[in-house]
Amino acid sequence: MPALDGMLQLNSGRNALSAQAGASAGAPLSVTLSWPDVASLAPLFKLHPGSAAWAPTEGEAELSLQAEPQGPQAWSWRLASKLKAIRTPSMSLVSGQLIGQGQTGSTGREGKAELSLTADKLQGQPWLIDRLQADLSGSLAQHRLKLNVVSPARPPAWFEQILGAKTGAAAKSAQTCKANGARPRPRKGLAAMVSQAAGRAKCSACKAAAPMPPASLGSAPKSWP
């Protein structure tokens, strides 16, 4: 008796999802998604209050997955997906793409994959990323991630202080301290420890102050004497 192929087709307006697989042991699997009206998925996001801010209001999506068996418990696969003009209440994306290929093993840790993700003009509140490129390769046991981000945004002030950069709020605080002997405004956690240490080293008015009281990362530091 000949083996029969199985096929699934779902349509919702202009959106379509199709899947096809053969009944035989060595038959390939194919899944295709064409979703030019991503906004139609908004009701699903709004089912939970925490995801309502990510409900899409416009955009397009495409996905293609091809898989072929490579033995009793192994598969090789290829993936390609695209996003275009995605907009939600909390973010917007001009374009994005995810492509990859790999092979599964008899166990999850034996499989290997190569994935490449790109995103252009990814914007939220208050950040902006002109371009993001992420490449992941290897297996669960041993893998490598390469990340490249191009953005006009500056790092937080406490990060600049760690690097020894006197810019932004850190520079203004140090200059004010030198001018009138005022101590910098206390901060919380790691930022407080870095800010106090930088202030004692650069501010002449702070050099004569008593040793800084200990502060833990999980609690706010005590006030300076």
Side-chain angles (χ1 to χ4, degrees), residues 37-210:
D37 184 16
V38 174
S40 62
L41 299 175
L44 298 178
F45 286 82
K46 295 179 180 179
L47 292 176
H48 190 279
S51 61
W54 299 96
T57 57
E58 60 180 272
E60 303 176 16
E62 296 179 3
L63 182 143
S64 174
L65 173 64
Q66 308 290 331
E68 295 183 4
Q70 303 291 327
Q73 296 179 319
W75 288 76
S76 63
W77 54 269
R78 291 179 177 272
L79 171 70
S81 63
K82 293 182 180 181
L83 295 175
K84 181 180 179 181
I86 300 296
R87 186 175 296 275
T88 76
S90 59
M91 58 82 67
S92 63
L93 171 69
V94 172
S95 64
Q97 178 176 270
L98 174 65
I99 57 175
Q101 61 181 0
Q103 184 171 348
T104 65
S106 56
T107 65
R109 298 181 65 84
E110 293 180 358
K112 294 184 178 181
E114 295 181 359
L115 293 171
S116 179
L117 171 68
T118 59
D120 293 313
K121 299 299 181 181
L122 179 61
Q123 184 173 3
Q125 295 295 335
W127 44 267
L128 169 65
I129 296 177
D130 289 332
R131 182 171 178 81
L132 182 147
Q133 174 79 44
D135 298 302
L136 177 64
S137 60
S139 63
L140 289 177
Q142 187 175 5
H143 47 268
R144 179 181 180 183
L145 173 64
K146 182 180 179 182
L147 181 64
N148 184 29
V149 179
V150 178
S151 173
R154 296 181 59 181
W158 62 265
F159 186 76
E160 292 182 339
Q161 291 173 341
I162 291 179
L163 298 178
K166 290 179 57 178
T167 58
K172 294 180 180 179
S173 177
Q175 292 171 359
T176 302
C177 183
K178 283 187 177 182
N180 54 29
R183 295 183 176 87
R185 183 179 180 181
R187 301 181 182 180
K188 296 181 179 181
L190 178 61
M193 298 172 65
V194 174
S195 178
Q196 291 174 359
R200 290 177 183 278
K202 299 176 182 178
C203 177
S204 59
C206 297
K207 290 181 180 179

